[in-house]
Structure formats: structure tokens, C-alpha cells
Amino acid sequence: MSFLPTLASALSSPPLAKESSTRLVFQMALRDVSVLFRTPWIIITRSLAFVIQLFVFAYLISRLINVPGLNFFQYYAVGSVVATIASISFVIGYDIFEEAEEGVLDYLLTLPISRRQFIIGRALGGALRAIIYIIPMFLVVAVIEGFAQPLSILSALLSLFLLAFGVTGMSITVAVSVKSANRFDVVLALLELAVSRASTALYPIAFMPLYVSVFAPFSPVSFAADSARASLVGFTLDLPAIVGLVAFVVVFLGLGAAFYFRRLEGGIYS
Amino acid sequence: MITFDNAGKRFGNLDAVKDFSITIKDGEILGLLGPNGAGKTTLMLMMGTVYRPTSGTISVNGYDVVKHPNEVRKLIGIAFQDPRVDGILSAFDVLNWHLKMTTMFDKVERRRRVEDVLKSLDLWEARKKRTWLMSGGMKKKVEDAKILVQRPSIAVFDEPTAFLDVPSRLLVWKMIRQLRDEGSTVIVATNMMDEAERLSERVAIVNKGRLVASETPEQLKGTVKGGEVLELTLNDGSEFKPDLLREFPEIHDVKQQDNKIMVFLNSGTLLLPKIVDTLSSQGFKIESVRLKEVSLEDVFLTYTGQRLE
């Protein structure tokens, strides 16, 4: 048998201390990110689907409609990046639900990381994963639309990141609130449809039917789409939209954490 | 030192663990022996701060698991009964990430530890294979390897050799003993008698969420009166009444499971012909007879009234 590491050498390493908290949150987030890189074909196929949607659907529609002052292709291109990041951010909920069913969550909860850091790590991981996922799509849009202002791009990415962070919180909230797998799938799919379709991501509010236009301004996807367009096209900051996004993040991360703790303490995953 | 003081965990109307009290000394290997559903895993998850006890207290090296969960988590490593690994990650990545989360080792030290343990477990060649593509035995070894690379102060193994072949079982036992020799306190939950007997310095018998007995294997065997066990298999045990054999003063207890009769007695060799005569005179046909010393299995049967399958 080969040499085995000894406890003495294990104990000679510095123990986990308070200053390592950030490192643990980051490691927890990287775990979610690394899973994405293990399945690069998902990024490639979804990017291809995005390109086809853009160059077939958006191109075709933009030639069918003619609204003065509206470049629909550009509108749709930016919006579909936003809708895509919202969609991919929901995936973390599926991951957590699956982990709970398979017992991996029990393992994760024995690791030396506080529950609060655990939640932040997972939400951060989900958001980082979503950002990495849409970067190829964002680059395609930036190249064809000529978005080259670094500050505008950074500001748009910030909006996207906030949206992703909040949606992961929302997704975690649903994952720990719904017990049945079927119900979970339906609830998450409906929620995703509601926040993405009833938003200004893919079509302007002026063309929406009344029953959608009433809700659309309050969708977090609208906040992100509006602020991303303001940054990239108008070179301005849409502060109300950013404030809305921050509020969305705070509310749903808080809710996610609260539901998570309640479920865990109740031993729901037994 | 780990102390369970009247610890309990209730899920709805079910008491998974009730009034459980035990003290586990530093550096010992404690075997938690009990059938599936006895509450062993719940006990470990309470100690590992995954479940909050609904009654009583649990402290690990002086830290209460409810009041100081983060301190407790730094001391414990748990290898689960069913492998809890990300199927999409390779064995190497699973262990490397586990070390990143549980230690402050640098990349070189992490790699050295992972390599050592994977080589010892004959998994090095398969280190890049995604764990969902591995056999049950390989996955189980990866699960055990998490704790073997971490080498925590308190190492908990839930059925560490389930799914493993005999050479692998012996190897894992050896590696667990090494862990204890280096100073770790080890808790092994098992429903395998030989594992509990050969690995543990002390065995705690758990049944229906309660601690039934806790001693060294030899002491536990000593608590069974008689010192010998006569196992009789009858052709048809449906009419058998234990009182039939209790008339002999050398017989201390008689237990029956279907057609199998367990007689706890002294002077088994001398008494055997009399027992056979008694049963035959009552019309029972004896298919087999086996006289043996008391085993842990007999202890379990005595304390719980059931066998571990």
C-alpha cells in the first residue's frame, strides 16, 4: 500500500478560520460553475439556438414591422440575451431540488460553511454560471450591433448579473418550498414564463395587450432589459431599473435563505 | 469527546431517535450496529449539524451542535451510506473539491493526498472517470475516500463497505484503523455483524431509535447468559413452544425465528442429546444442529429480539 497522509500532517495545516469564509463561499460558487464547464455542449447548442433565433426570427420580424424610432432587430437582440440569462438562472433551482432528492445536499450541509454563506455561495454560483453562459451570445450581439463602449458594456453586464443573482434566489425559494417534483417543474416553468414573457425583453410595452402591459413594467426581466438597453444603446444609466433589480435581489435572496433554513431545520429532506 | 445526552429527533409523528445517550471517547472506534431504519443515519446527521435535535443535546469536543454548528462542522467528516458525489465530476475532482472545502492545503498537498488515497484504493487509473459512470463499489470507495483524504478529528462512516468485495472491505477496514491510530475518533454505522465485531472497540446496539446496549464486543457477548448457543433447525417449527426446553437448568433462554430455534445454554455438548430426545419425543423433526460460542449476532438477537439480515 502506498503512503497515506497522516492526521499529524493534517493538523499541521492551518485550521479553517474566519478569514477563510470568503474562500468557502467562492469555492461553493465555483462548484456550480465547474459543473457548467463539464457540459460545454450545452453552451454550444444553446448559443447556436440563440444565433438561429436572432438571424432567422428577429431578422424576419424586423423586416415585417416598421415602427419609426424602433430598431426591432437591435431591441430583440439585447432582450433575448436578457431573457436567456433569466432562463438559465432558474436552472440552479433544479440542481438544488435534485441534490435534495439524491442526498447530495446532506453532504454539502456537513461541510464547514455556515448556512448563510452556503446560500450566498449557491446563488453566486448560479449567477456566475449564467453570466458565463451568455457571454458568447452577448459577444455576438455586441459585434453585430457595434457595442464597443467598455463602460456601457460593464454597466449592461452588471444589470445582467443582478438579474441572474435575483432569479437564482427566486429559483432556490421555489426549490425549497415545493415538495413534489412534478409540481416543482410546473411552478418553475410558469414562473419563468411569467417573468420573461410578461416583460419588455422581447417586445416593447406599447405593443402589449393591456393585461400584460400592466404587469410588464414590474418584471425583474424588464428592469434588466431596460437598463441594459439604456447602457448599450443610450449610453445612460437607468437608475430606477437598477434600484428595482437590487430590490429584487435583496427580496429573493432573503426569501430563499429564510425558506431554506426553515426547511432544513424541519428536516424535510429526511 | 462526543456526548449525546437524551438526544431525540422527531419527524412528524415518528421518533427516528429517542432519548439517546452515549459518550464517545477520543480516539476510539465506535460501531453503531442496527438494522436499516434503526436511526443510525439520523444520529450521524444530527451530530453533523444537518438535522437539529428536537430534544436533548449533542456536543462534539465541547461544542454544542445547535449553538456552535460551524465549529462542529470543522471537526467532522461524514462518508455517507449511498455515495453523495456529483456524478458529472471525476473521482479526482470530487476529492480535490472536498479538500478545498475542508482544509487549507495548497494544490500540491491536495494532489498528493488524493493521489495517495486513490492509489491505495486502486482507483488511480479511474481518477478521470465521471463518477456516474463508475460501478457501485467504485463510487462507494470514492465516498469513503473523501474522509480518508480529509483525515478529520472525527471521522464518521455510514456502512463503509457496502457494495465492496472482500479484499476491498479488508482494505477499507485497515485504512479506517490507520485513521484511528493517527488520532481520529471513528464512528462506523453498520448492519454487518462482522464489520462491527472486527472493526469496533466498542459497539452500540441501536434499535428503533434507541440505544439498547453499548460495550466492547467481548463484554456484550458476556452479557448473554450461558456462553454457548445451540442453533436447531426444525422441519416445522409452527408448533414449537420455548417452555418445552426451559425445564433444563442449564438453558438460560430460548428464542425462535420461524423454524430456527436458538438455545442459550451452558454445557451444550452434554445437554445436546437430552434436547434432541425431548424434541423428538414431541414429534419435531430436526433438520440441523449447530453448537457455537455466543456471537455478536446472538447478542443482537438477545437485546432486540430480531436478527440483522
Side-chain angles (χ1 to χ4, degrees):
Chain A
M1 188 192 299
S2 69
F3 167 77
L4 281 176
T6 64
L7 183 72
S9 58
L11 296 176
S12 67
S13 72
L16 287 173
K18 273 190 178 174
E19 56 270 22
S20 70
S21 302
T22 315
R23 186 182 66 84
L24 291 177
V25 169
F26 192 59
Q27 284 301 336
M28 191 57 80
L30 282 185
R31 174 180 168 272
D32 284 316
V33 173
S34 74
V35 169
L36 179 69
F37 283 111
R38 299 279 162 178
T39 52
W41 51 272
I42 292 182
I43 303 181
I44 293 165
T45 53
R46 289 295 291 265
S47 298
L48 277 175
F50 174 82
V51 168
I52 292 166
Q53 181 78 352
L54 199 62
F55 287 103
V56 177
F57 178 79
Y59 181 75
L60 191 146
I61 297 292
S62 65
R63 292 185 69 187
L64 285 176
I65 59 170
N66 184 16
V67 180
L70 175 69
N71 176 346
F72 183 75
F73 183 85
Q74 185 185 64
Y75 187 97
Y76 186 91
V78 175
S80 57
V81 172
V82 178
T84 303
I85 200 168
S87 171
I88 199 68
S89 301
F90 272 104
V91 172
I92 194 80
Y94 291 98
D95 289 351
I96 285 180
F97 195 85
E98 202 174 277
E99 283 168 3
E101 283 200 316
E102 292 174 357
V104 175
L105 189 59
D106 286 343
Y107 159 63
L108 296 176
L109 293 174
T110 62
L111 296 172
I113 180 169
S114 76
R115 298 290 182 260
R116 202 174 306 278
Q117 291 162 351
F118 179 80
I119 294 279
I120 293 170
R122 297 310 299 272
L124 185 65
L128 281 175
R129 191 163 73 174
I131 282 284
I132 293 167
Y133 186 88
I134 57 95
I135 276 178
M137 306 171 203
F138 189 89
L139 285 176
V140 168
V141 172
V143 168
I144 57 176
E145 288 300 324
F147 300 140
Q149 281 281 342
L151 275 179
S152 300
I153 290 172
L154 274 179
S155 163
L157 284 174
L158 174 69
S159 301
L160 292 177
F161 182 76
L162 286 173
L163 175 69
F165 211 28
V167 170
T168 54
M170 181 188 264
S171 183
I172 289 171
T173 305
V174 177
V176 294
S177 312
V178 182
K179 293 180 201 169
S180 139
N182 289 337
R183 199 176 298 166
F184 170 73
D185 287 345
V186 170
V187 170
L188 214 57
L190 285 177
L191 203 56
E192 188 184 335
L193 265 179
V195 294
S196 289
R197 299 294 162 175
S199 76
T200 56
L202 302 178
Y203 13 78
I205 206 159
F207 300 100
M208 291 178 189
L210 181 66
Y211 53 86
V212 179
S213 65
V214 171
F215 299 106
F218 305 105
S219 164
V221 178
S222 297
F223 294 150
D226 293 346
S227 65
R229 285 193 194 100
S231 302
L232 293 169
V233 183
F235 305 110
T236 57
L237 275 181
D238 187 344
L239 275 178
I242 290 175
V243 169
L245 277 174
V246 171
F248 172 64
V249 170
V250 170
V251 167
F252 277 98
L253 268 187
L255 271 179
F259 275 87
Y260 215 105
F261 295 148
R262 212 184 71 187
R263 291 288 174 179
L264 291 176
E265 295 306 341
I268 201 74
Y269 296 119
S270 60
Chain B
M1 190 165 70
I2 304 159
T3 308
F4 288 78
D5 187 8
N6 284 312
K9 180 68 187 176
R10 175 175 272 259
F11 295 111
N13 294 324
L14 174 75
D15 281 312
V17 172
K18 195 169 184 186
D19 298 333
F20 194 95
S21 297
I22 194 171
T23 299
I24 303 163
K25 290 173 282 182
D26 289 339
E28 80 167 315
I29 301 182
L30 177 85
L32 278 177
L33 182 66
N36 291 330
K40 305 187 298 290
T41 302
T42 304
L43 279 167
M44 290 190 292
L45 290 180
M46 282 198 291
M47 192 178 69
T49 75
V50 178
Y51 293 157
R52 183 190 284 246
T54 42
S55 58
T57 58
I58 303 169
S59 71
V60 177
N61 286 7
Y63 294 112
D64 185 286
V65 295
V66 176
K67 291 176 187 160
H68 304 285
N70 292 335
E71 298 305 320
V72 172
R73 285 182 206 125
K74 288 174 189 169
L75 299 168
I76 291 182
I78 300 181
F80 288 84
Q81 180 179 355
D82 299 315
R84 307 285 166 91
V85 293
D86 285 316
I88 204 158
L89 299 181
S90 68
F92 187 93
D93 289 341
V94 165
L95 299 179
N96 190 40
W97 188 77
H98 183 78
L99 281 182
K100 280 182 183 173
M101 289 301 292
T102 55
T103 69
M104 296 285 280
F105 295 133
D106 60 19
K107 192 177 177 181
V108 175
E109 177 62 13
R110 284 199 308 271
R111 186 188 158 86
R112 188 183 69 80
R113 282 176 170 252
V114 172
E115 185 176 340
D116 285 344
V117 170
L118 285 181
K119 280 182 175 169
S120 297
L121 291 169
D122 199 21
L123 283 175
W124 182 244
E125 295 303 314
R127 67 188 180 280
K128 291 179 182 169
K129 195 174 185 178
R130 288 183 180 179
T131 52
W132 71 271
L133 292 170
M134 289 181 160
S135 68
M138 289 168 88
K139 265 191 263 193
K140 184 65 189 172
K141 283 195 217 173
V142 174
E143 181 67 24
D144 289 338
K146 284 198 285 198
I147 306 311
L148 295 169
V149 292
Q150 182 191 348
R151 309 193 91 66
S153 299
I154 295 158
V156 181
F157 293 90
D158 196 353
E159 314 278 357
T161 59
F163 316 116
L164 299 190
D165 55 25
V166 174
S168 300
R169 288 183 76 197
L170 297 175
L171 177 64
V172 169
W173 287 348
K174 188 175 176 183
M175 293 173 86
I176 290 175
R177 281 192 207 100
Q178 269 185 319
L179 199 58
R180 186 278 317 275
D181 292 344
E182 291 162 15
S184 290
T185 304
V186 178
I187 299 170
V188 178
T190 183
N191 57 16
M192 290 186 255
M193 292 291 174
D194 59 335
E195 184 159 85
E197 189 158 4
R198 294 176 65 170
L199 193 57
S200 318
E201 287 148 339
R202 194 156 58 109
V203 173
I205 296 178
V206 187
N207 193 37
K208 294 176 184 168
R210 291 172 183 271
L211 178 67
V212 179
S214 154
E215 295 292 349
T216 66
E218 288 311 312
Q219 283 172 327
L220 281 173
K221 287 177 199 170
T223 61
V224 177
K225 289 176 183 172
E228 288 177 304
V229 182
L230 182 65
E231 269 186 19
L232 298 149
T233 308
L234 304 180
N235 185 32
D236 178 10
S238 58
E239 298 295 318
F240 176 79
K241 298 278 185 295
D243 286 344
L244 186 66
L245 298 178
R246 286 190 177 131
E247 63 184 64
F248 296 102
E250 295 90 343
I251 292 179
H252 298 282
D253 199 6
V254 180
K255 296 206 180 281
Q256 179 184 7
Q257 281 205 322
D258 301 322
N259 291 340
K260 191 169 264 187
I261 314 296
M262 309 282 289
V263 185
F264 296 85
L265 74 176
N266 296 118
S267 312
T269 315
L270 293 174
L271 204 58
L272 179 59
K274 294 179 189 170
I275 292 172
V276 171
D277 282 347
T278 305
L279 290 173
S280 300
S281 68
Q282 296 294 317
F284 292 107
K285 285 187 179 171
I286 299 170
E287 287 188 342
S288 68
V289 176
R290 188 169 153 230
L291 184 65
K292 60 185 181 85
E293 290 185 354
V294 168
S295 67
L296 209 50
E297 193 168 4
D298 304 316
V299 175
F300 191 83
L301 179 68
T302 305
Y303 277 105
T304 66
Q306 57 181 306
R307 284 178 172 281
L308 270 178
E309 297 301 336

